[in-house]
Amino acid sequence: MGDEKGIKRRDFLRMTGAAVGIAALGGADFSMAAAKLGKKVERSKLMTTTATFDPVRPEMARAICEAFSRHLGWDAEPYPIDYNQNVQKVIMEHDYDMWLVRFTGSSIRIDPNVFIYKAHHSSQYKKGGYNWAGYNNPELDRLAEEQQSEMDRERRQEIVYKAQEIIHQDQPENVLVNPYMTNAYRTDRLRNLVPQMGEGIGSFWTDVEMEVVQGDGYVRTGATVALKNLNPIAVKDANEFKELRMIYDRLFRISPKGVAEPWAAKSLSVVSPTVIDMTLRQGMRFHDGQEVTAEDIKFTFDYYKTWKAPFFLESLKKIKAIEITGRYSLRFELTSPYAPLIPNLFGSIFILPKHIWKDIPEKVDVEDPLKYPNEKPVGSGPFRFDYWQRGAELKVSAFKEHFHPPKCAGIIRIVYGSHDSMAAAIEKGECDRTRYILKPSLMQDLNKLPNVAGRGYPSHGFYDLSYHTRRPPFDDPAFRRAIAHVLPKGIIKDVILDGQGDPGGSVIAPANEFWHNPSVKPFPRDIEMARRILRKAGYGWDKHGKLHYPPGRGA
Amino acid sequence: MREYIIQRIAYTFVTIFVVASILFLIFRMLPGDPTAQVISPALDESAQKRLKQAFGLDKPLYVQYVLYLKNLTLLNWGRSFTSSYKVTDILWYRFWNTVFLMGAGMCFTLVVGPGLGMIMAWKRNSPLDVGATVGALIFQSAPPFITGLVLLMVLSYRLDLFPTGGMHTPGFHPESLVAQFLSRDFLHHLVLPTVTVALFYLATPMLIMRDSMLEVLGSDFIELAKAKGLAPHVVMIKHAARNALLAVVTVSSIMIGFAIGGQVIVEQVFSWPGMGRLMVEAASAHDYPVAQATFLSLAALVIILNLAADIAYCYLDPRISLGKESVP
């Protein structure tokens, strides 16, 4: 049947009609194998979230289950439930068959460690762990550990390439599609927007580089999710990171291409795999005028560790000691070599002003910094805090004394009740750009207007179909490989996502250029191939065209 | 009468206690671990434990319940799981946003509705009576988001007379509450949501007033007033309307309570940062302290307004009397 580029709804219907025929022909397998069949492959549930949470996921789940049933004679049913319940069932209890989930393209996921080690190492199959698939391959475990401690980037890349091949062959999950970050902005007001992998024009680089050619110089940035928190210790979700990173500096910043580059740190040298020397940029100041020194950096790491800042807790365990070696220099001693340290800790932790945070929580009305609202955040970032009207808007202004001052006067983050009202505000000129994803159909509508651009930007995030690999039929790699040939990726991309994505292959997306293994490609959609793989593995079909396990196998 | 009022107040407190307990249980019975929403599942177990410990979720349920009741009596609602702000601060800020939105809508409804109802009854079966009845029923039947979207489509997107949503023009940051709620910018943003609310609720006081007026207009004292040669508008306003208003007063107090709790959709359509959106945000984020406080305060408001209506009715309607004081 080949690949399905450019499939439209009409083609989809025609195809499904043809598929019924193929399924009927499957009965031919019955004649020769009926006596040797094992138990019927039981009905499975494909869990995902509700349309309210994400309108496309239930649609994808329906298309996938339909394909399994029609082409393989194996019944699967979509099971859309509240997202919170998804997390509970899958990540906490491991009680599921298949899970359709979206990994957003956050900057912490650019480093391959999350998708190689955390998602696939057998030790991560635990309550709250990322390897909810229960995947267990000693060879992959070895590579996952090796890439984590390999401090040489080129050598680490080779290991990561190999790991991607193994994961792809074993198929503990299938990367369905890499969706684009769909954004829109006013072309008559903004210039020089810099998209970043996984973030589109909602990126930090757009924040600091964009120019405003009309009005008061402030960029009205629309979002549909209210900002919850401005406490850099309690930071949890991507929206909080996006706003806090404007106010607080980091030692490293992830570049538009996804590479960690020195920012507040001037240089870094790896003395040994467990000893790192760092020199700070001189002349940096917090927004209240105090200088940023090595004292603040050491305080920051100690403070995050003392108070067990949840988001950073795991990475912080790798830091054994920090020694101040000069007013602007430090030495980090690690418990063991840890390659993701630079992007995922140095590139994400926010530098705290010691002179403010040393009194928290003792001199404020809370017993734990996690409960401190940090109403007037003071950092050293390129934007200083003006005000936050909770549930409505956040305003920050350019900090002109910064070593990389923004080109705009500031940013006003506005919360809209829906994607539609945000799109209307852009159309009317009340909003200048979107911070996060705009519904693809609205983006395309906006793109037809003068003075507005709607575009999709590549992302390393993906929609993922996870299997419980410790439950039949998903405990059989052959079965997982076979069903990979049936997945309707063309329909998902062209019909469900309005063309705003690319069919997925590796867990490290092509957008993540350095770490992506180009030889790992999506399995072609080939129904006959799927059936051949199943037949070869001993599966068969009964007279009703229903799929059966090989003799002696089955739940 | 006094015993009745004391009894009603006692019932009110019991009702609020029951609602508070139900709310406590409902949020904890929701499927899913609260930390799954509050904290990313990408974090390891120790991070989740840390968060549970910070917000007291590691304690047994009965301990959490006792603490909840204790804090409730001290009017200490705790801190939000998600923003760390005091729940009272969050509620206070959002409450006023909603009060101004619904207050403006209700004022419009309660002035225009009974007034129109009065005229409609006076001019029964006239085109005004029929037209206003049909119109009011249409707006009451249409979900407020439809009315809101139509108003936005015509008056904002097409004619560009009003903004698309929000409480202020982005960047407008008033220093005081007075400046915030009395500024021209705020009033400009208030018009469309107010009209949406008013159109939705208009039918109730208008039709109740109309029916009540028709009943009063058939009374002997109206005939007597007319026979005395009083001007028609004096009969209509001073004699008929004043007596007919009683039913509107009763239903209005309950309607206001429900309106404040039921503005979720209007706030969503107009991106209005009020209590309704706070309820949705808090419930979907499993932010127990904020969700409990929002729902409970709205429930308490409806219960207290009911109490007020009951008590007011005793005083306003001389035909109602209670217990030993009842007149045969």
Side-chain angles (χ1 to χ4, degrees):
Chain A
M1 194 164 280
D3 204 358
E4 323 164 60
K5 277 186 180 172
I7 286 175
K8 300 284 176 272
R9 275 190 198 277
R10 195 186 302 163
D11 302 327
F12 171 49
L13 291 172
R14 200 180 300 137
M15 270 171 41
T16 45
V20 173
I22 292 172
L25 286 172
D29 296 315
F30 164 71
S31 56
M32 62 179 200
K36 297 184 211 163
L37 290 178
K39 287 182 179 169
K40 186 178 152 192
V41 177
E42 59 277 36
R43 172 182 284 266
S44 295
K45 279 185 176 178
L46 171 46
M47 190 186 295
T48 194
T49 189
T50 56
T52 318
F53 188 88
D54 180 356
V56 301
R57 266 181 253 185
E59 276 195 65
M60 285 184 192
R62 266 192 297 278
I64 290 167
C65 291
E66 177 105 341
F68 289 155
S69 174
R70 284 184 186 276
H71 302 308
L72 298 179
W74 163 48
D75 293 329
E77 59 174 311
Y79 183 42
I81 52 172
D82 173 58
Y83 180 71
N84 200 32
Q85 219 178 331
N86 278 234
V87 171
Q88 178 71 15
K89 289 264 181 202
V90 178
I91 302 179
M92 302 296 178
E93 296 170 7
H94 301 148
D95 179 17
Y96 74 106
D97 299 325
M98 295 180 277
W99 191 29
L100 175 50
V101 64
R102 177 175 185 164
F103 289 99
T104 51
S106 61
S107 59
I108 207 161
R109 290 175 179 155
I110 293 174
D111 185 272
N113 192 54
V114 170
F115 292 132
I116 302 295
Y117 184 90
K118 289 186 81 171
H120 296 100
H121 193 278
S122 58
S123 68
Q124 300 303 302
Y125 180 64
K126 58 183 181 183
K127 188 184 171 193
Y130 236 37
N131 180 10
W132 51 76
Y135 177 56
N136 185 1
N137 181 333
E139 172 65 1
L140 190 276
D141 280 358
R142 190 186 59 75
L143 291 169
E145 287 162 22
E146 212 177 306
Q147 64 80 30
Q148 213 176 42
S149 55
E150 178 55 70
M151 302 300 270
D152 182 280
R153 206 158 174 257
E154 309 298 325
R155 282 205 295 273
R156 189 175 176 220
Q157 186 194 43
E158 281 175 35
I159 303 166
V160 169
Y161 270 28
K162 181 72 189 150
Q164 287 174 69
E165 283 166 14
I166 291 175
I167 294 167
H168 189 63
Q169 272 311 304
D170 285 352
Q171 285 286 298
E173 84 260 279
N174 191 283
V175 179
L176 294 170
V177 64
N178 296 111
Y180 298 158
M181 290 295 297
T182 43
N183 296 137
Y185 68 97
R186 295 285 310 190
T187 50
D188 56 342
R189 279 184 46 82
L190 303 182
R191 297 265 190 283
N192 199 27
L193 291 93
V194 184
Q196 182 178 344
M197 184 209 308
E199 298 202 358
I201 55 164
S203 73
F204 171 79
W205 298 103
T206 295
D207 293 346
V208 290
E209 298 295 348
M210 68 184 153
E211 295 164 34
V212 183
V213 293
Q214 263 182 38
D216 60 3
Y218 279 85
V219 181
R220 275 90 182 150
T221 298
T224 52
V225 179
L227 184 61
K228 291 174 192 154
N229 205 327
L230 281 177
N231 178 343
I233 307 294
V235 60
K236 291 176 286 281
D237 72 29
N239 289 299
E240 295 162 7
F241 272 103
K242 280 178 204 285
E243 310 311 324
L244 279 167
R245 71 189 178 195
M246 298 194 288
I247 301 168
Y248 290 92
D249 263 330
R250 289 161 159 174
L251 292 168
F252 277 69
R253 294 266 185 199
I254 308 299
S255 74
K257 289 272 183 192
V259 181
E261 289 176 351
W263 181 258
K266 190 175 152 196
S267 64
L268 178 141
S269 66
V270 179
V271 179
S272 76
T274 55
V275 178
I276 294 170
D277 280 348
M278 183 187 287
T279 307
L280 279 187
R281 192 185 282 272
Q282 292 186 25
M284 285 174 62
R285 300 210 166 264
F286 289 108
H287 301 150
D288 59 2
Q290 296 265 346
E291 192 185 16
V292 182
T293 67
E295 281 277 349
D296 295 297
I297 309 301
K298 178 172 164 47
F299 172 82
T300 297
F301 280 86
D302 290 347
Y303 193 87
Y304 273 75
K305 205 166 181 178
T306 305
W307 290 103
K308 296 181 179 171
F311 195 89
F312 306 94
L313 193 55
E314 202 185 352
S315 301
L316 282 167
K317 286 177 189 162
K318 306 288 179 187
I319 306 266
K320 190 174 170 189
I322 301 173
E323 184 193 343
I324 296 175
T325 52
R327 187 168 174 77
Y328 304 106
S329 56
L330 306 105
R331 170 163 285 192
F332 291 84
E333 196 183 334
L334 310 184
T335 51
S336 57
Y338 189 58
L341 188 81
I342 295 172
N344 286 6
L345 187 61
F346 292 167
S348 63
I349 206 163
F350 297 111
I351 300 173
L352 301 177
K354 182 182 177 184
H355 60 281
I356 293 174
W357 283 84
K358 68 182 168 52
D359 295 329
I360 297 168
E362 286 79 12
K363 293 190 182 169
V364 291
D365 181 27
V366 290
E367 72 277 12
D368 188 328
L370 286 189
K371 292 184 179 176
Y372 179 58
N374 195 28
E375 288 179 56
K376 290 180 180 166
V378 174
S380 61
F383 293 90
R384 59 177 167 69
F385 174 83
D386 280 336
Y387 63 81
W388 177 25
Q389 289 175 346
R390 295 188 296 279
E393 66 184 55
L394 168 78
K395 186 180 178 190
V396 293
S397 292
F399 180 48
K400 295 293 179 195
E401 292 78 31
H402 195 267
F403 63 87
H404 193 123
K407 297 189 172 65
C408 61
I411 293 172
I412 301 170
R413 181 194 196 272
I414 309 153
V415 183
Y416 291 95
S418 64
H419 284 243
D420 298 83
S421 52
M422 185 163 70
I426 289 182
E427 183 177 347
K428 276 193 74 183
E430 291 174 9
C431 176
D432 300 324
R433 73 158 174 165
T434 56
R435 180 59 123 183
Y436 194 53
I437 300 165
L438 176 68
K439 221 156 57 178
S441 54
L442 288 171
M443 182 212 79
Q444 282 168 342
D445 290 345
L446 284 176
N447 204 31
K448 293 170 191 157
L449 300 174
N451 301 324
V452 181
R455 293 203 184 121
Y457 300 91
S459 170
H460 58 291
F462 53 90
Y463 280 103
D464 183 66
L465 179 64
S466 291
Y467 311 117
H468 195 319
T469 64
R470 300 189 183 198
R471 250 185 206 186
F474 310 104
D475 55 350
D476 182 0
F479 183 87
R480 302 195 298 262
R481 267 194 295 278
I483 62 177
H485 289 282
V486 177
L487 293 167
K489 293 190 181 185
I491 290 157
I492 290 172
K493 172 188 170 287
D494 293 325
V495 182
I496 300 175
L497 291 179
D498 282 319
Q500 296 301 313
D502 295 312
S506 173
V507 289
I508 309 290
N512 196 351
E513 284 172 21
F514 184 79
W515 298 110
H516 171 71
N517 182 344
S519 69
V520 176
K521 299 199 182 300
F523 286 105
R525 191 160 196 269
D526 187 337
I527 310 300
E528 262 318 299
M529 169 75 82
R531 296 176 75 90
R532 267 202 306 277
I533 295 170
L534 287 171
R535 240 179 264 126
K536 199 174 163 193
Y539 292 81
W541 287 265
D542 62 21
K543 62 179 178 182
H544 304 293
K546 295 295 179 191
L547 184 67
H548 283 244
Y549 284 104
R553 271 206 61 219
Chain B
M1 177 77 83
R2 199 173 152 197
E3 285 83 17
Y4 171 76
I5 291 172
I6 292 170
Q7 198 183 43
R8 283 292 289 113
I9 291 172
Y11 283 155
T12 299
F13 276 105
V14 172
T15 313
I16 290 174
F17 168 76
V18 172
V19 171
S21 302
I22 291 172
L23 280 173
F24 177 87
L25 287 173
I26 279 180
F27 283 109
R28 277 148 186 88
M29 279 164 63
L30 283 177
D33 189 316
T35 54
Q37 276 283 350
V38 178
I39 194 165
S40 162
L43 304 177
D44 70 2
E45 216 174 336
S46 55
Q48 292 179 23
K49 273 187 192 159
R50 168 74 179 98
L51 205 88
K52 281 184 178 177
Q53 172 249 323
F55 290 101
L57 292 166
D58 56 340
K59 294 185 172 70
L61 200 61
Y62 72 91
V63 177
Q64 290 183 41
Y65 179 61
V66 171
L67 276 173
Y68 165 72
L69 290 182
K70 185 185 146 201
N71 289 337
L72 205 62
T73 49
L74 299 171
L75 291 180
N76 173 10
W77 302 75
R79 285 180 184 271
S80 158
F81 286 174
T82 56
S83 72
S84 304
Y85 276 85
K86 281 184 180 165
V87 173
T88 39
D89 291 350
I90 297 172
L91 279 190
W92 191 242
Y93 169 73
R94 297 288 192 111
F95 177 73
W96 285 113
N97 294 348
T98 293
V99 163
F100 272 88
L101 169 62
M102 299 312 290
M106 285 294 116
C107 281
F108 187 85
T109 304
L110 294 176
V111 170
V112 175
L116 257 177
M118 178 183 73
I119 298 167
M120 286 158 69
W122 193 258
K123 299 193 173 185
R124 192 182 178 189
N125 294 332
S126 67
L128 172 78
D129 182 25
V130 176
T133 306
V134 171
L137 289 175
I138 287 173
F139 283 118
Q140 194 182 38
S141 313
F145 73 86
I146 296 281
T147 313
L149 284 176
V150 170
L151 288 174
L152 273 176
M153 192 78 81
V154 177
L155 299 174
S156 176
Y157 305 157
R158 295 275 171 251
L159 301 177
D160 204 16
L161 296 174
F162 295 99
T164 54
M167 264 175 41
H168 292 292
T169 303
F172 179 88
H173 184 52
E175 292 300 320
S176 67
L177 275 182
V178 176
Q180 176 166 345
F181 292 120
L182 293 181
S183 66
R184 202 178 156 182
D185 184 69
F186 173 76
L187 297 174
H188 191 210
H189 283 75
L190 187 65
V191 174
L192 289 187
T194 299
V195 173
T196 307
V197 169
L199 287 174
F200 183 68
Y201 288 104
L202 188 68
T204 308
M206 189 181 88
L207 296 179
I208 285 179
M209 182 68 182
R210 179 184 175 276
D211 287 355
S212 190
M213 272 287 281
L214 286 175
E215 202 181 317
V216 172
L217 286 173
S219 308
D220 293 343
F221 73 92
I222 296 293
E223 290 302 317
L224 183 65
K226 283 180 183 169
K228 273 162 60 182
L230 293 175
H233 71 274
V234 175
V235 177
M236 181 176 77
I237 296 169
K238 277 189 82 174
H239 293 266
R242 280 180 69 179
N243 283 287
L245 262 177
L246 193 66
V248 178
V249 170
T250 313
V251 82
S252 299
S253 58
I254 299 165
M255 194 179 78
I256 290 170
F258 279 108
I260 287 181
Q263 78 300 9
V264 181
I265 293 169
V266 178
E267 290 187 0
Q268 202 68 20
V269 170
F270 291 97
S271 306
W272 195 270
M275 292 276 275
R277 282 181 74 195
L278 184 65
M279 276 162 73
V280 176
E281 286 163 23
S284 56
H286 285 232
D287 193 348
Y288 294 163
V290 178
Q292 283 164 179
T294 321
F295 279 91
L296 184 57
S297 54
L298 288 173
L301 188 69
V302 173
I303 293 166
I304 289 167
L305 284 170
N306 263 306
L307 171 72
D310 281 356
I311 295 172
Y313 217 84
C314 296
Y315 284 104
L316 288 175
D317 192 342
R319 290 169 298 183
I320 292 183
S321 43
L322 299 150
K324 291 172 191 169
E325 295 168 17
S326 62
V327 180

